[in-house]
């Protein structure tokens, strides 16, 4: 009976989370669609997306632990936010947490999502990492954003980690060359628990779980040259890795009302003690 109740609870929570994600988007869709067609409206679209992210994460009822370094980027200074990639909710959590309206570089497949995809494709930066031309265009646009005083978010792994929460994928060098060429500081970010809430498993699998985001101290690129990119890349890799919580690795298994399958899910879910949310 407990397995059945657990399964029903998971299905109800998945429906709840999906409802509060989808309904605000559908209500504001005409406005988002209009703003996405108007470059001057993109800052307003990003502000709306930030509010949307804040709202549905609040309605999900999950505690969010936010840790910020004492040292921060001066107001008005654009920077390159480099974050680990472990879940489908990485971008919303970044939008919720970061100040201003940073642009984000995301994979081109996001632009193919019904309704939301065309909006993302117009107002944000997309890249097909299998295409050298697409990668070049994405870097050019990111450079233009930084030159205009807008920060940019990049996932240097280039994909969701195969071992989320435990190990990072090798970093791509493009983001570090971009930071050095533009002279903007890099702000490393670690999101160690997102994969516990919404893992990338090829389908919708939602589990109530704490979230956490660590905004590390900025790393200056002043005076660096292209030859310094590998060392900078390794430094950022180590900083982001330092914020992971390997004991929270692994992803929740598929839900089932059958006792045997439920035991498999329980075995795949790591129970951890997390500090109280501070943000």
């Amino acid at each position: 009976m407990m397995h059945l109740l657990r399964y029903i609870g998971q299905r109800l929570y998945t429906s709840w989370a999906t409802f509060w994600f989808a309904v605000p988007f559908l209500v504001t869709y005409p406005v988002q669609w209009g703003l996405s067609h108007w470059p001057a409206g993109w800052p307003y679209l990003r502000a709306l997306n930030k509010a949307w992210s804040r709202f549905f994460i609040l309605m999900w009822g999950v505690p969010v632990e936010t840790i910020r370094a004492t040292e921060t980027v001066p107001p008005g200074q654009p920077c390159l936010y480099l974050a680990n990639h472990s879940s489908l909710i990485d971008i919303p959590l970044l939008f919720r947490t970061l100040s201003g309206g940073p642009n984000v570089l995301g994979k081109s497949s996001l632009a193919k999502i019904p309704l939301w995809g065309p909006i993302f494709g117009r107002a944000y930066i997309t890249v097909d990492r299998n295409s050298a031309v697409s990668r070049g265009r994405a870097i050019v646009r990111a450079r233009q954003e930084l030159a205009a005083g807008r920060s940019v978010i990049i996932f240097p792994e280039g994909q969701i980690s195969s071992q989320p929460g435990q190990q990072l994928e090798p970093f791509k060098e493009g983001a570090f060359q971009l930071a050095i060429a533009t002279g903007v500081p890099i702000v490393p970010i670690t999101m160690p628990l997102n994969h516990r809430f919404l893992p990338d498993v090829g389908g919708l699998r939602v589990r109530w779980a704490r979230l956490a985001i660590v905004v590390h101290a900025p790393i200056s690129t002043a005076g660096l040259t292209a030859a310094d990119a590998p060392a900078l890349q390794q430094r950022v890799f180590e900083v982001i890795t330092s914020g992971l919580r390997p004991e929270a690795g692994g992803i929740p298994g598929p839900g089932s009302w059958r006792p045997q399958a439920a035991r498999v899910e329980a075995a795949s879910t790591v129970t951890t003690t997390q500090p109280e949310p501070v943000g």
Side-chain angles (χ1 to χ4, degrees):
M1 177 60 71
M2 288 301 297
H3 302 301
L4 177 60
L5 292 177
R6 179 185 177 88
Y7 176 74
I8 293 173
Q10 289 172 346
R11 301 282 71 76
L12 289 174
Y13 185 71
T14 297
S15 299
W16 172 270
T18 302
F19 176 86
W20 287 113
F21 173 84
V23 170
F25 170 70
L26 294 175
V27 169
T28 61
Y29 174 73
V31 176
Q32 294 198 45
W33 184 87
L35 291 175
S36 72
H37 282 80
W38 180 40
W42 291 349
Y44 302 102
L45 173 64
R46 292 169 191 157
L48 181 57
N49 289 163
K50 182 182 182 72
W52 174 33
S53 297
R54 283 179 175 269
F55 180 73
F56 67 69
I57 291 176
L58 175 66
M59 294 308 297
W60 285 347
V62 293
V64 180
E65 178 191 359
T66 304
I67 302 173
R68 300 180 190 271
T70 303
E71 183 182 355
T72 60
V73 174
Q77 165 69 60
C79 66
L80 203 57
Y81 293 109
L82 300 187
N84 69 303
H85 204 7
S86 66
S87 168
L88 303 175
I89 61 167
D90 290 345
I91 292 177
L93 186 58
L94 288 165
F95 281 173
R96 169 200 174 275
T97 305
L98 301 178
S99 60
N103 204 326
V104 60
L105 191 153
K107 57 186 179 181
S108 57
S109 60
L110 292 175
K112 300 176 183 178
I113 298 174
L115 297 180
W116 163 244
I119 293 174
F120 185 87
R122 284 188 289 267
Y124 297 95
I125 306 171
T126 61
V127 59
D128 177 358
R129 295 193 181 274
N130 295 319
S131 167
V133 173
S134 178
R135 293 196 304 270
R137 287 175 177 170
I139 291 297
V140 168
R141 186 170 175 193
R143 187 165 184 164
Q144 292 171 341
E145 289 289 286
L146 293 169
R150 290 183 288 270
S151 297
V152 177
I153 300 167
I154 294 181
F155 299 103
E157 294 169 280
Q159 61 183 356
I160 290 180
S161 172
S162 59
Q163 299 183 63
Q166 295 176 300
Q167 183 174 316
L168 303 179
E169 297 294 319
F171 282 1
K172 312 296 184 183
E173 191 173 314
F176 304 94
Q177 294 286 5
L178 172 64
I180 291 172
T182 56
V184 300
I186 290 174
V187 178
I189 295 178
T190 308
M191 294 176 286
L193 304 176
N194 289 2
H195 61 286
R196 307 300 302 170
F197 182 89
L198 184 60
D200 180 25
V201 292
L204 185 61
R205 186 179 301 172
V206 180
R207 298 290 183 271
W208 188 97
R210 288 175 176 266
L211 301 176
I213 182 167
V214 183
V215 183
H216 300 277
I219 297 174
S220 174
T221 63
L224 299 184
T225 67
D228 298 308
L232 179 63
Q233 177 177 317
Q234 181 61 31
R235 182 180 176 186
V236 174
F237 186 93
E238 292 172 356
V239 171
I240 295 178
T241 298
S242 71
L244 295 178
R245 301 176 185 178
E247 71 278 6
I251 61 175
S256 176
W257 60 270
R258 294 174 298 176
Q260 182 176 0
R263 283 194 294 271
V264 171
E265 177 181 5
S268 68
T269 303
V270 180
T271 302
T272 61
T273 301
Q274 305 292 347
E276 289 301 310
V278 295

